[in-house]
Amino acid sequence: MLHRLVAERATGVLLREHGTLYLCDGEVVHAESPRTPGLDVLLTTGGALDTEAWREAVTLAGARRRVGRYLVDSGRVAEGALELCHTGALFDAAYFVLGPSGAPARFRYGAAHWLGPVRSVPVAALERETVRRRALLHRIWSDPATDSAPLIRTDRHAEPTVSARQGAVLDRVDGVRTASDIARALGRPAFHTLVDLRRLAAAGLVTTAPHPPTTTPGSPLPDPLPQRPHPHLSPLP
């Protein structure tokens, strides 16, 4: 579908299971995924922009689809910094959007993102980078479960030395957070967090949290509290 959209220089939004790609004249201009921090998180956490300035830009320029241009013209963000951060967020989200999916893709012609034009990326370059990233992760640690499952720290008496960057990731492994949660908490690209977590898994420091026990057929269900019948309903036999 992407190659056909490129050939016809389509403009609109491609909707997939793990996010969306916005195209303009057959090139990708924006990408979003629930598994990655958004551009706002990367800008505000990194200190390039404060939260109030971001909200102001969305309020004043969102309806005109000129948020990016407003940030630059008003002096809130330097144009080079915005392009760099936007391109990083685009590749980050596209990695998940272009990943394996069990749901069909849809394309909505004519749709445009409220951020407005910043910098476009050819689909071929996006595909190459996605394949490269997938191969890199596989070389580090071949089990992809650490990419999406809640994570726990392993019990080790003598932990190997980790970098400051990996240490910040490790400090947020609590049995509940996933890689995406940790990336948002740190304000870092999700793919970089996946790399750190797979290296930590390869070093034996991190593993996936065990699944909660499930009730087997025929086993009694727990009933910690007595259930009172609703006053307007007859009790079931």
Side-chain angles (χ1 to χ4, degrees):
M1 179 184 283
L2 263 179
H3 287 279
R4 176 173 58 82
L5 294 169
V6 170
E8 66 183 58
R9 297 179 61 83
T11 295
V13 58
L14 177 69
L15 300 100
R16 297 202 75 213
E17 183 178 8
H18 299 303
T20 55
L21 293 181
Y22 285 82
L23 277 71
C24 182
D25 293 332
E27 292 198 340
V28 180
V29 293
H30 193 68
E32 289 182 340
S33 171
R35 295 191 175 187
T36 64
L39 178 62
D40 57 330
V41 175
L42 298 179
L43 283 171
T44 55
T45 307
L49 186 70
D50 62 75
T51 305
E52 192 56 42
W54 174 265
R55 290 174 180 164
E56 176 189 273
V58 173
T59 300
L60 297 178
R64 295 181 287 116
R65 299 183 178 88
R66 300 280 292 174
V67 172
R69 193 70 257 162
Y70 176 87
L71 288 171
V72 173
D73 292 344
S74 62
R76 301 294 195 276
V77 179
E79 188 163 9
L82 178 63
E83 286 188 4
L84 185 64
C85 199
H86 171 261
T87 303
L90 190 157
F91 277 102
D92 198 36
Y95 173 80
F96 295 95
V97 178
L98 298 178
S101 171
R106 294 174 292 127
F107 189 75
R108 187 180 302 156
Y109 283 92
H113 195 270
W114 47 262
L115 181 69
V118 177
R119 188 172 183 177
S120 62
V121 175
V123 167
L126 205 62
E127 288 179 329
R128 285 195 303 271
E129 179 61 13
T130 299
V131 171
R132 186 195 71 81
R133 293 185 177 199
R134 194 169 294 132
L136 172 62
L137 290 178
H138 185 78
R139 287 197 304 271
I140 296 171
W141 182 249
S142 60
D143 186 0
T146 54
D147 295 353
S148 56
L151 301 164
I152 58 173
R153 299 176 65 158
T154 57
D155 294 326
R156 293 192 57 155
H157 296 294
E159 294 188 352
T161 304
V162 298
S163 67
R165 180 185 182 87
Q166 292 172 350
V169 172
L170 190 59
D171 287 343
R172 285 160 178 79
V173 174
D174 58 1
V176 177
R177 288 189 177 105
T178 63
S180 297
D181 298 328
I182 294 172
R184 287 192 187 87
L186 293 171
R188 296 177 181 174
F191 177 75
H192 295 175
T193 307
L194 296 187
V195 170
D196 288 332
L197 284 169
R198 289 220 192 185
R199 285 177 174 154
L200 291 169
L205 298 176
V206 164
T207 187
T208 55
H211 295 289
T214 56
T215 304
T216 57
S219 61
L221 293 172
D223 189 15
L225 295 174
Q227 300 295 317
R228 295 182 179 180
H230 193 282
H232 301 297
L233 296 177
S234 302
L236 293 173

